[in-house]
Amino acid sequence: MSRLIEKPNIAMSITSSGSQLSNTVAGGSASNAATADDTPSPAEDEDGHSSAARTQMLTPSADQDAMSSNMRNKVDQVLVSLIAGAAAGALAKTTIAPLDRTKINFQIRKDVSFSFRASLNYLEQTYTREGMLALWRGNSATMARIVPYAAIQFTSHEQWRRVLHVDQNGASTKGRRFIAGSLAGITSQSLTYPLDLARARMAVTDRYTGYRTLRQVFARIWVEEGPRTLFRGYWATVLGVIPYAGTSFFTYETLKREYHEIVGNTNPNAFVSLAFGAAAGVAGQTASYPLDIVRRRMQTTRVNINAPQSSPTILATLVTIYREEGIKNGFYKGLSMNWIKGPIAVGISFSTYDLIKAWLIELSHLKRGRAEN
């Protein structure tokens, strides 16, 4: 009987022990959970810093790498534009150098009417009197000027396009397109103007009575006429380069944009680029030609026997040309020659620039890919 009475106690004891065991297990689980919370997780290091914290610590370095890479890309773009622009300008001007010299000689003379026959006679006489290389007389001064001029012009045009947000995000900003071209022309002309004056002086003189070298041009002007003469005709040039460069770049970029919309190709072939450049050259030359006449007259005052020996102003030169020669034979004298040489030069310049730029970009990508591999 006592055993029967003890059994419930045993059961109760077992039940009680089970409850305590359950509580103990539960408590142990909770304790383990708490312990697990206090223990560094696999994503944490020994000091308790999480991977997110480490990522934040590494972010400045990643940003610096990104900034450094972006800076290198910008420098590469500028170098590519400089090289492509210099090569394009040199090739274009060398091609048309004899025609350019002929045009300048007719521009500065009021006693000789311009015609194609007269142009051919001038080229023939120059060849007979001085030889073949005389047709490229002054081309060394042209190269000394055009290489930095074209390099600066094309590079500054790329930069002005970025600054003015020209045609970005699919928008058509024709006004900004013209302004970017004008600013590029002003930038390049301002930085290389004395070389343009020296080239004009060499083009209108011969090696016997004029200047023998580019260095002699600068030395004699500095001593005989003063350093300010190196910038004579500068403002006429700037006024002329605004419509010339603006119209040229505007026409070329507009034609390329229309070509892309019609054909769907963003990179026209060399012949198409040459045609677009030729059209740009015709438009630019026609828009700025009268001021081109004025600047040549002002640049060659002391070496042109038909010009007054005083230092003329833009307005005085314009009035003199109008009174003595009229509009057609004065302000547009030699324009038909420019319609031949201008499209050739500008067409070669633009198309060569695009081709060399694309080739250099592809070459830099190949080199970068090899370096990464």
Side-chain angles (χ1 to χ4, degrees), residues 203-261:
V204 300
T205 58
D206 57 47
R207 61 182 176 178
Y208 305 109
T209 60
Y211 307 95
R212 291 183 176 273
T213 63
L214 182 62
R215 180 180 178 182
Q216 190 182 49
V217 177
F218 288 114
R220 285 180 56 180
I221 290 175
W222 188 280
V223 173
E224 298 174 4
E225 304 176 53
R228 291 183 61 184
T229 304
L230 293 173
F231 285 89
R232 180 180 294 160
Y234 169 77
W235 291 111
T237 302
V238 169
L239 291 175
V241 83
I242 291 174
Y244 172 73
T247 303
S248 297
F249 278 106
F250 172 82
T251 303
Y252 185 70
E253 294 294 329
T254 300
L255 290 173
K256 284 179 63 177
R257 186 180 178 89
E258 295 295 328
Y259 178 83
H260 170 61
E261 292 180 357

Side-chain angles (χ1 to χ4, degrees), residues 249-308:
F249 278 106
F250 172 82
T251 303
Y252 185 70
E253 294 294 329
T254 300
L255 290 173
K256 284 179 63 177
R257 186 180 178 89
E258 295 295 328
Y259 178 83
H260 170 61
E261 292 180 357
I262 296 172
V263 180
N265 185 4
T266 57
N267 296 315
N269 59 47
F271 293 105
V272 174
S273 295
L274 191 65
F276 290 168
V282 170
Q285 294 282 356
T286 305
S288 64
Y289 195 77
L291 285 167
D292 191 41
I293 293 280
V294 172
R295 75 175 175 125
R296 292 306 184 198
R297 296 284 178 97
M298 295 179 71
Q299 286 176 340
T300 59
T301 296
R302 294 298 181 92
V303 296
N304 181 11
I305 59 174
N306 296 303

Side-chain angles (χ1 to χ4, degrees), residues 159-217:
Q159 302 307 314
W160 283 119
R161 282 177 58 86
R162 291 190 182 95
V163 170
L164 297 175
H165 304 289
V166 176
D167 298 336
Q168 292 186 0
N169 300 322
S172 178
T173 53
K174 294 181 179 179
R176 295 179 188 177
R177 206 179 301 160
F178 179 87
I179 293 172
S182 297
L183 290 174
I186 292 172
T187 302
S188 56
Q189 193 68 257
S190 298
L191 295 176
T192 61
Y193 185 76
L195 292 168
D196 184 45
L197 183 141
R199 167 243 185 173
R201 291 284 183 101
M202 291 189 72
V204 300
T205 58
D206 57 47
R207 61 182 176 178
Y208 305 109
T209 60
Y211 307 95
R212 291 183 176 273
T213 63
L214 182 62
R215 180 180 178 182
Q216 190 182 49
V217 177

